[in-house]
Amino acid sequence: MEGVKRYCVRLLSHNVQWDEEFQKVKLSILEQWPENILDIQHVGSTAIPLICAKPILDVAVRLRSIEQMEPSLLMDLGYDYCGVQHGNPLHHLFVLRGSDEISLRHIHCYDQNSQDFHRIVGFRDYLNAHPEAARQYEALKLKLAAQYPDDRIAYTNGKEAFIQSICEKL
């Protein structure tokens, strides 16, 4: 995975190697938490072949219990533990960074009771099943990337209304 400089936005055409990398990451996570994992999914735009994506691998992990998650096991593999996300104690994030703070992988961990896991997987599935919606999303991403090349937060916030509109269809 090529990665993206922290806080920046860079989009690339889809690369089939992203799914190969996901398979390797999935195995490494399963080795760390074999008893606590219910599901692991490749999510985000790198999991949608029709569109461009930031070359950061997004992985969603559904756990039996977020409380039984052992952050140190992924930290031992080089991931930074970023803790609770968006004020939701059922969603935690780990980030693998390369040199110069390049973001390479985001591991989103969800408790089995969190609906966010189903939302992120459902969004991916919807765009893969609806090419026109995927193209609309890509056009929005390209516009936002040009508008906010050094502000990933503004870029992400700009996608939220579109994402919400798709999630309402799920």
Side-chain angles (χ1 to χ4, degrees), residues 100-115:
D100 298 326
E101 292 292 301
I102 300 289
S103 297
L104 301 170
R105 298 178 189 154
H106 293 170
I107 310 297
H108 302 267
C109 296
Y110 301 95
D111 187 87
Q112 69 176 327
N113 296 314
S114 173
Q115 292 306 308

Side-chain angles (χ1 to χ4, degrees), residues 109-139:
C109 296
Y110 301 95
D111 187 87
Q112 69 176 327
N113 296 314
S114 173
Q115 292 306 308
D116 290 344
F117 177 86
H118 301 292
R119 179 181 184 253
I120 196 169
V121 171
F123 180 76
R124 176 209 61 198
D125 291 347
Y126 186 91
L127 291 187
N128 278 327
H130 298 88
E132 185 56 37
R135 286 186 199 92
Q136 290 171 356
Y137 185 53
E138 180 179 53

Side-chain angles (χ1 to χ4, degrees), residues 4 7 12-13 16 19 25 32 41-42 56 70 83 90 100 111 114 119 124 129 136 155 161 163 167:
V4 178
Y7 307 116
L12 299 178
S13 297
V16 294
D19 191 54
V25 171
Q32 300 308 310
Q41 295 286 324
H42 181 189
I56 300 171
E70 297 178 47
L90 301 180
D100 298 326
D111 187 87
S114 173
R119 179 181 184 253
R124 176 209 61 198
Q136 290 171 356
Y155 167 83
I163 294 169
C167 289

